[in-house]
Amino acid sequence: MKIKAISTAAVLAALTFAAPVVADEDAELVINGDIEIVTKTAAPEHLSDVMDEILSGWRFRSDETQAMEMDDFDNPGMLGAEEGMALFEASWGSEGKACADCHDGPESLSEVRATYPKWNEGAGEVRTIQMQVNDCLTTKMGADAEKYDSGKMLNLEAMLASVARGTPVNVTIDGPAAATWEQGKEIYYTRYGQLELSCANCHEDNYGNLIRADHLSQGQINGFPTYRLKNAKLNGTHSRFKGCIRDTRAETFSPGSPEFVALELYVASRGNGLSVEGPSVRN
């Protein structure tokens, strides 16, 4: 539900945006001294009218937080990826099957994280990774569906992201996925809540600025799932969307909802060309 808004200009004046404070604008992300991550590149064509380059959220974090992601031993999100590896080998449901029974190791799925959400022809819809996992659980493994952004789901996503690190994000937005992409774009630019703020107000108009103590990034999701130091756990894309809309003082959509599926497709496409870098570390 959209709540009657107050003046956006008054909100921004009250929050006081400050001059950009970037930890190190020339920093480059190389994980374990081996995996080179593209954290800055030319914007995809569909963004050419609003920005020239796209930047990973990693570039907006402090030196200390950046360093945590540069070594798997220091990255607490990798504990989730390790749990995901164990889940991949485990039997889940009544059929006695594990993910490993159909897939030749996690590395065989190294292209998944970079291309989702994507159109599923058989289902006639755009699916996220978690939607696809739940389909496997219920139709092939005889297991119950997992709650969206559950611990198990995020661990599996972290595992899939970890084996895809360095792969360019390449989400398809034309063809049958186009209508869902357009819906996500509309949500991205819609102002919500008493603060009457859209995703674009923070992540397109004011990235690099400070909103109180928060250093605004472009809101790229190539690093999800992300381990947030704020709540000391892995966080999913839809849970982050929910938190952002809630912060505008509006009722929000639920993780796994069609609205957030569409928004994920659109936001993911804004990062086409950046590297998959999850599980990332953020504040």
Side-chain angles (χ1 to χ4, degrees):
M1 179 182 72
K2 186 174 180 179
I3 302 174
K4 184 175 175 59
I6 61 178
S7 167
T8 302
V11 171
L12 298 183
L15 292 175
T16 309
F17 288 95
V21 181
V22 179
D24 182 355
E25 294 187 15
D26 297 320
E28 298 296 339
L29 176 54
V30 180
I31 300 175
N32 300 330
D34 178 53
I35 307 172
E36 296 183 0
I37 303 295
V38 174
T39 59
K40 178 171 69 172
T41 192
E45 179 63 28
H46 65 83
L47 285 184
S48 61
D49 59 333
V50 295
M51 58 179 60
D52 296 325
E53 64 180 9
I54 51 176
L55 304 166
S56 163
W58 181 82
R59 285 184 172 259
F60 297 83
R61 302 283 64 90
S62 68
D63 293 344
E64 294 78 12
T65 304
Q66 285 183 344
M68 293 179 71
E69 196 177 320
M70 298 176 78
D71 192 316
D72 284 353
F73 286 104
D74 295 329
N75 183 347
M78 287 303 296
L79 295 175
E82 291 176 6
E83 288 293 327
M85 297 284 188
L87 289 170
F88 185 85
E89 300 289 341
S91 172
W92 284 53
S94 60
E95 298 300 312
K97 290 185 177 181
C99 303
D101 292 326
C102 293
H103 303 287
D104 187 20
E107 291 76 13
S108 69
L109 300 171
S110 61
E111 297 296 320
V112 169
R113 177 62 184 83
T115 57
Y116 270 76
K118 67 188 300 184
W119 178 260
N120 183 294
E121 187 65 35
E125 63 182 2
V126 170
R127 283 186 172 177
T128 64
I129 289 175
Q130 293 193 33
M131 292 168 68
Q132 190 60 48
V133 169
N134 265 335
D135 181 73
C136 288
L137 288 176
T138 56
T139 64
K140 297 181 180 180
M141 301 167 73
D144 294 331
E146 280 290 311
K147 182 179 178 181
Y148 214 94
D149 276 357
S150 70
K152 286 184 178 180
M153 278 294 196
L154 292 178
N155 287 340
L156 283 170
E157 275 202 295
M159 178 269 291
L160 289 170
S162 72
V163 298
R165 289 179 295 181
T167 306
V169 175
N170 186 24
V171 173
T172 300
I173 63 175
D174 56 5
T180 303
W181 184 84
E182 291 289 352
Q183 180 189 5
K185 181 178 181 179
E186 180 179 0
I187 293 171
Y188 189 87
Y189 286 100
T190 296
R191 295 174 181 268
Y192 289 96
Q194 288 182 316
L195 299 186
E196 198 184 25
L197 293 173
S198 69
C199 306
N201 290 140
C202 286
H203 299 300
E204 188 172 292
D205 301 336
N206 284 289
Y207 70 86
N209 291 333
L210 291 175
I211 180 170
R212 296 199 176 107
D214 188 16
H215 190 195
L216 292 173
S217 73
Q218 289 185 348
Q220 299 289 354
I221 59 173
N222 59 302
F224 275 79
T226 183
Y227 186 94
R228 295 193 73 193
L229 301 176
K230 178 179 180 179
N231 59 12
K233 66 177 183 178
L234 281 173
N235 292 256
T237 303
H238 289 201
S239 293
R240 186 80 286 274
F241 290 164
K242 180 179 178 180
C244 283
I245 294 181
R246 181 195 59 225
D247 289 345
T248 69
R249 300 177 188 170
E251 292 186 16
T252 184
F253 307 110
S254 299
S257 64
E259 292 84 0
F260 277 169
V261 171
L263 184 59
E264 182 181 348
L265 175 64
Y266 176 70
V267 176
S269 77
R270 290 175 69 93
N272 276 354
L274 293 174
S275 294
V276 174
E277 65 174 84
S280 62
V281 183
R282 303 289 187 258
N283 294 346

